[in-house]
Amino acid sequence: MSSEKVDASSTMNSKNVSLPMSRVKLIMKSSPDVSSINQEALFLTTKATELFVQYLAQCSFKRGSGREKKTLAYCDLANAAEETDTFQFLIDILPKKILARDYLRSLEEMGEVEDD
Amino acid sequence: MAERPEDLNLPNAVITRIIKEALPDGVNVSKEARKAISQAASVFVLYATSCANNFAMKAKRKTLNAGDVMAAMEEMEFERFLQPLREALEAYKKSQKGKKEATEQRRKDKEKKTDPEENDKSREEDDEEEERMEDEQEGENEGEEEEVEN
């Protein structure tokens, strides 16, 4: 199995970041209790987010079953969130999808139990 | 405070680029997957910020610093990021220093031509402000470009 190591130089330019720091700062400031953020902290957070995007994409893609995969799909992400410890915090925003009919069926089953 | 919900999202084009570079050539990414990764990235920022902030508060500081962010990564079990982040930070500090030195040099050159004495310290602060604003403007310009695509 190939190493999943993420390295700084693989994102565009290791001196800078691709994601706009001003936008990252906006998100950070929306967090309660945060007063101010020093420039290095902002840089690191932006860089870490890029590394995270790479890591999430790679992990999710690798988890696809052994068959030939040419597409990264939503379900790959949802599976990765459920199965990988470090992605547990994403479980609520990457829920697994179920078919509508399965959901309706499970609702019916719950209804039956209550009637008893 | 962000006025629109889109403001808390990261630019799609940049996210897509990062994803594509992380995956083998020829792999496609569904639109849904891209959107989900983008949202996950925003959540990551919030989680990291909140975590880093805890460290800052413990140390009775109001400003988040680099150490807080590194500690947050460890706390979140992203130790794999620590080394690349350290390296990137070093490179960043060097490039910032280079900029500052270049600005200093320009200032010195100007001083040779004009009258000295007047501007010393307030100039330094202005230059630092300029640097920060430059960085932010670069970031903002990128952001604006991306929004048009949306």
Side-chain angles (χ1 to χ4, degrees), chain B residues 52-112:
Chain B
N53 199 41
N54 287 339
F55 286 105
M57 291 201 296
K58 260 189 239 172
K60 306 214 165 98
R61 270 182 286 107
K62 289 200 169 165
T63 307
L64 285 191
N65 66 22
D68 299 327
V69 177
M70 296 300 268
M73 290 299 119
E74 234 186 299
E75 177 90 352
M76 290 159 72
E77 293 180 29
F78 286 111
E79 289 96 350
R80 56 180 54 236
F81 294 170
L82 292 176
Q83 192 47 32
L85 284 176
R86 273 184 215 121
E87 289 168 12
L89 183 60
E90 283 312 305
Y92 177 72
K93 289 203 273 199
K94 282 197 189 120
S95 75
Q96 292 300 94
K97 193 176 165 203
K99 271 188 206 172
K100 198 167 179 181
E101 281 169 3
T103 320
E104 281 281 335
Q105 193 55 49
R106 282 201 300 271
R107 188 175 63 91
K108 282 182 185 156
D109 290 343
K110 271 187 199 166
E111 272 184 359
K112 280 181 194 160

Side-chain angles (χ1 to χ4, degrees), chain A residues 15-59:
Chain A
K15 287 197 179 121
N16 294 313
V17 289
S18 316
L19 290 169
M21 295 207 284
S22 55
R23 190 73 71 87
V24 174
K25 189 171 184 179
L26 252 181
I27 303 174
M28 291 176 86
K29 289 222 144 190
S30 74
S31 182
D33 297 335
V34 169
S35 322
S36 51
I37 304 157
N38 103 359
Q39 197 66 1
E40 285 178 4
L42 176 57
F43 170 78
L44 281 179
T45 307
T46 307
K47 191 72 190 175
T49 308
E50 289 183 9
L51 295 176
F52 170 77
V53 169
Q54 287 179 338
Y55 181 45
L56 178 60
Q58 284 170 346
C59 258

Side-chain angles (χ1 to χ4, degrees), chain B residues 121-144:
Chain B
K121 286 191 180 154
S122 60
R123 266 303 193 96
E124 271 184 29
E125 277 171 28
D126 284 346
D127 286 345
E128 274 181 35
E129 276 258 294
E130 253 180 57
E131 273 178 37
R132 268 200 286 271
M133 274 169 61
E134 267 178 46
D135 277 349
E136 283 192 10
Q137 270 170 20
E138 275 172 19
E140 263 171 37
N141 284 342
E142 272 187 40
E144 275 165 30

Side-chain angles (χ1 to χ4, degrees), chain A residues 64-83:
Chain A
S65 57
R67 68 182 198 279
E68 274 296 313
K69 273 191 63 105
K70 281 294 167 186
T71 306
L72 178 65
Y74 175 85
C75 55
D76 299 324
L77 296 167
N79 288 333
E82 195 173 280
E83 291 159 27

